[in-house]
Amino acid sequence: MVGIKDIAKKAGVSISTVSYALNGSPKVTEETRARIQAIADELNYVPNMAARTLKSRQTKIIGVYLADYGGSFYGELLDGIKKGLAHYNYEMIVCSGVKSHLFIPERMIDGALILDWTFKTKEIEQFADRGHSIVVLDRQLTHENIRQVILDNKGGATLAVEQFASAGTKKMYLISGPEKGYDSNQRLETSRRELDRFAIPYEIIEGDFTEPSGYKAIQTILEESPQKPIDIFALNDEMAIGVYKYIKETPYEIGTDIRIIGFDNSELGAFIQPRLATISYSKHRWGIVAAETIIKLIQGQATEHEHIYTSFISGGSFTK
Amino acid sequence: MVGIKDIAKKAGVSISTVSYALNGSPKVTEETRARIQAIADELNYVPNMAARTLKSRQTKIIGVYLADYGGSFYGELLDGIKKGLAHYNYEMIVCSGVKSHLFIPERMIDGALILDWTFKTKEIEQFADRGHSIVVLDRQLTHENIRQVILDNKGGATLAVEQFASAGTKKMYLISGPEKGYDSNQRLETSRRELDRFAIPYEIIEGDFTEPSGYKAIQTILEESPQKPIDIFALNDEMAIGVYKYIKETPYEIGTDIRIIGFDNSELGAFIQPRLATISYSKHRWGIVAAETIIKLIQGQATEHEHIYTSFISGGSFTK
DNA sequence: TTGTAGGCGTTATCAA
DNA sequence: TTGATAACGCCTACAA
């Protein structure tokens, strides 16, 4: 491996001169700087990350923790994060799995962005206690070294319920999400509260944000209540897709017999017929805001918790 | 930050003893080992990655390079890679973007898995020349330090053409992929060769593997040839989805007026009505094989180039 | 303007 | 069975 030592030898100078030259210090002549740079290029010199990190105590890399890479969901988000970080000259790596949590205390990364329900809150707090900067996208957490950039699930759920209310819904079915999930709980609680407010009776059918759980949920619903129209708020789009799938096998029609609204504005929902009405938000913006927040946190600038707001997207699956 | 020095002080031993103890060397008594371990735990000691890497010259991390994170395509693949690497006690990080290429010469990762057409072959070869181990999933490359684990596009394209041939196709439309892409070129060339072999006339409509390009392609096709059935081989599923989208706005029917086969067996293709006939392969297996190959390459074991084989999945979009 | 030397946290080689 | 010490590659006061 070629190091500054090799360059120094070839250039006939000391290693410190090389170091100064390469780091653009004003302590060397422009002439020698150019000469040394040329030699470095010629030798294909690349600084050793480990050695540099050992001194400078920072890697300029942010770790993004995801539970899994599935679904087209993450594409836009990661894109936003990447763009946001690039602005500050930071790189990003995407990690998943419990072993990579070590990257944080090992100081392989300068900070972490977490959207991974398998990452225990306790562990996150421990890392924060040890001084590591973390931004969480999927829970509420108050700590000096932690910031949240979270979805306005409350606003989204409110929007959905309002739609149903103004459409004269007599009874609502809520297909819920994972019990421990932050997003799913927020959406569920808000929906209940809003429905109570409108005095609309409702029933909760258990789901877990997966397509099959939506498929099963609609079966349960149809078993008991053939009263049309059947109004459903699926707490995410994937489960709504599951509903579509089952309905395709029945004489029911989405949009007339079944009125349904999802959450997340997934690609699939936009494609299926009729289009799935849903609650939307900018995943891209979410990423950018998260990136800015972690950088500011690292750099010691003042930062607040952030929210990403939602909007209603109409579609053929829900007609008044 | 707490290092082995702190532990040594607290335990009243030398740092080397601590190092031995923590690394499970047989050179220390089980007793002192336990005592030191206890102190390390108490102090929340985590080894410094940079320092360790500096000595040991390896990180036990493999970098996976992707052009983007979009599409549900990568989920299964990354899952396979992760599983494959875990078996050898390696971690994985997912990278994208030209700046992260530096991770390779910086020795932040022990090896790279590349499925990223934006990664220049020349650059890959340079890294390989410098002794870095690389496995490419999206091109053919012969080098001492490079192995390929590539899709059997030829087999897949052959399967598709055979289907059309046995269905009595009179004329084929091929919707092509990106000009520079390895997969798209392989698929296109093989299709042409096979079609020639069956003496089936064909026409190439340019596409770029994106949904909109499929949407545009079918418009072009319909403009010139209203002769039914219209037989189309879309070189990937996304473009086939584009075809579906446009057809939905016309009186034509997929499966009867338009017969179409895709490539990749995407999730979306399995969901849409009628189901998209396509060429399938195990993305999971692809990942596992790639993982095994890079590890063996790093460890200096003998490795061959590998192929991932394909199969035909029938669907309502193509009926004989 | 350039060189010398010490240190970053670990590992590993010798001695003790 | 342990301890002192020299690397690893780079950075940076401080000295020349």
Side-chain angles (χ1 to χ4, degrees), chain A residues 58 60-62 85-86 88-92 110 295 298:
Chain A
Q58 60 165 341
K60 289 271 195 178
I61 298 173
I62 299 295
L85 292 177
Y88 294 94
N89 249 292
Y90 267 76
E91 272 296 304
M92 147 182 117
D110 292 349
I295 298 298
I298 289 172

Side-chain angles (χ1 to χ4, degrees), chain A residues 44-89:
Chain A
N44 265 315
Y45 168 76
V46 177
N48 179 304
M49 183 248 188
R52 170 185 306 189
T53 303
L54 195 56
K55 282 294 294 188
S56 69
R57 326 287 264 128
Q58 60 165 341
T59 58
K60 289 271 195 178
I61 298 173
I62 299 295
V64 180
Y65 288 85
L66 262 30
D68 62 86
Y69 307 95
S72 56
F73 174 83
Y74 296 124
E76 269 182 89
L77 179 73
L78 292 171
D79 214 61
I81 295 174
K82 200 169 107 181
K83 202 169 294 176
L85 292 177
H87 190 252
Y88 294 94
N89 249 292

Side-chain angles (χ1 to χ4, degrees), chain A residues 123-138:
Chain A
E123 202 183 358
I124 296 177
E125 281 172 332
Q126 271 177 18
F127 291 147
D129 282 341
R130 309 189 57 187
H132 301 288
S133 302
I134 295 172
V135 168
V136 290
L137 309 192
D138 64 345

